[in-house]
Amino acid sequence: MKEKTDCLSDKLLIFGGKKLSGHLQVDVSKNAYLPILAATVLCDGEVFLDDYIPLTDFVCMREILAKLGVKSYETNGGLYLDARGGKNEKIGFEWTQKIRASIFLLGALLGKYKTACISYPGGCNIGSRPIDLHIKGLKSLGVKVLERHGMLYCDGSEMKCGKVCLDFPSVGATESLMMCASVLKGTTVLKNIAKEPEIVDLQNFLNAMGAKISGAGTDQIVIKGVPKLHGGQFSVMPDRIVAGTYLLAAATCGGDITLDRFVPEHNESLLSILKQSACKITLKNDMIRLKADKRLKCVENIQTFPFPFFPTDLQTPIMVLESVSKGHCKLQENIFENRFGAVPELVKMGAKIVVEGRCAYVEGVEKLYGADIFATDLRCGAGLVIAGLKAEGFTTLHNVHYIDRGYDKIEQKFQTLGADIRRI
Ligand code: EPZ
């Protein structure tokens, strides 16, 4: 069902076909920032995060924090937070269905108050998004969980440190357990956990606030619980998915761009694919330059897996690149069950893509043509922006509010790279 939210600022008008060139600085990472915002609940002191951008997900998370008595305001380009007046409140569906990341508060509230009451976050357009791994992990630490009418009543009064082995390396479940165990007496060991860079950033934040955590980014995290966390200053990592989106846009449209605040180790799998596609990549410290001056070659087989393999969040952007490259690509989505929302929109633009189960079979075409298209989720929207930038003629992209969740002023960023794109 296409949402018809035709308020003035929810559409982008793109006149495609132009090469991209210029320089951008990569913004702070949405998926590192959100768990860190939740973790501030645990901090008995003032916290200052160096960078802040008004992503709608951050605005929403701050509203929930305010409900929990955590004050926050923007200052000097960053964000000041103070959880000393914190209180334990029920987090209802009106919040959890707005932002899935609200589930990160479960671990933080249990850590701080030993009880929590939160609604199921519900599914979204990319899948059912269960939280059974979060619950199973917390139960392994002795948390009692009662599920009633969509609400989770969690009692952690008898929580004990221990060993937790996840059935799947869930990013959110790993982060929930890290927050909860950071202030749990004794040593907790987490295994079969997510190794994403955002997990490492959360470990670094918690340690900067007095926690004793090691092993993030490896197969085992060891957490020595401390009585409480203090405040402090922290600089959140740059957004590897936003950086990857810009690189894939330049590879798709052709051109010559440079990015600052780029971390190669966060994007090895993407860099390997871009090199296979015959892009020219130059790396120097935290700068990357990408040149693409001819139609690229398809990569025959791409699969999404947990880090360090190819990230699911770049699956749609790379599908757009493959759809206009030479040859064929089989793109398999192994993380979420419904993340091909962009396919019907790309086919409207002239792409040749067939979806069978978890696989999208792409046959590269020379041209895409502008059309009236609809974003169905955040990364689908980002991919469709790239398609509009590549397509001949005008494209109107609807439901831009999805994109604003994870990209700050996306139209201005691409205008900086010479694109003909504006919000209407
Ligand atoms: C995080 O979501 C990210 N969101 C997602 O980014 C990202 O796609 C995902 O990790 C994978 O890298 C944030 O960090 C805010 P998971 P999360 O738990 O934690 C299943 C974006 O576009 N699962 O690693 O929800 C789940 O259904 C967003 O920025 C369970 O079955 O991801 C999925 O199939 C989208 N039970 C898989 O595991 C659970 O309890 C991976 O989910 C939890 C997850």
Side-chain angles (χ1 to χ4, degrees), residues 212-286:
K212 290 187 172 55
I213 304 174
S214 59
T218 73
D219 291 315
Q220 177 172 293
I221 293 178
V222 179
I223 304 165
K224 292 188 172 62
V226 294
K228 64 179 181 178
L229 301 186
H230 51 67
Q233 171 272 336
F234 187 74
S235 191
V236 179
M237 64 177 254
D239 195 312
R240 62 190 173 100
I241 303 300
V242 168
T245 305
Y246 296 150
L247 293 173
L248 286 163
T252 303
C253 299
D256 181 352
I257 69 165
T258 58
L259 302 180
D260 274 342
R261 279 175 52 86
F262 180 79
V263 182
E265 306 77 59
H266 291 175
N267 270 307
E268 298 293 1
S269 58
L270 172 64
L271 292 178
S272 158
I273 288 177
L274 289 173
K275 286 170 189 163
Q276 289 175 58
S277 310
C279 290
K280 293 187 185 64
I281 304 262
T282 315
L283 292 166
K284 188 166 175 246
N285 304 328
D286 74 342

Side-chain angles (χ1 to χ4, degrees), residues 144-156:
K144 294 188 184 69
V145 181
L146 183 63
E147 301 170 40
R148 277 277 182 284
H149 315 304
M151 290 300 288
L152 291 168
Y153 298 86
C154 304
D155 173 5

Side-chain angles (χ1 to χ4, degrees), residues 350-396:
K352 287 187 181 161
I353 306 170
V354 173
V355 172
E356 281 172 22
R358 290 255 179 184
C359 291
Y361 295 89
V362 182
E363 180 189 339
V365 295
E366 294 219 17
K367 275 188 188 300
L368 293 178
Y369 300 90
D372 211 28
I373 55 178
F374 293 78
T376 56
D377 65 79
L378 162 56
R379 306 301 175 184
C380 162
L384 291 177
V385 169
I386 298 175
L389 293 172
K390 175 63 178 176
E392 198 173 84
F394 282 103
T395 291
T396 303

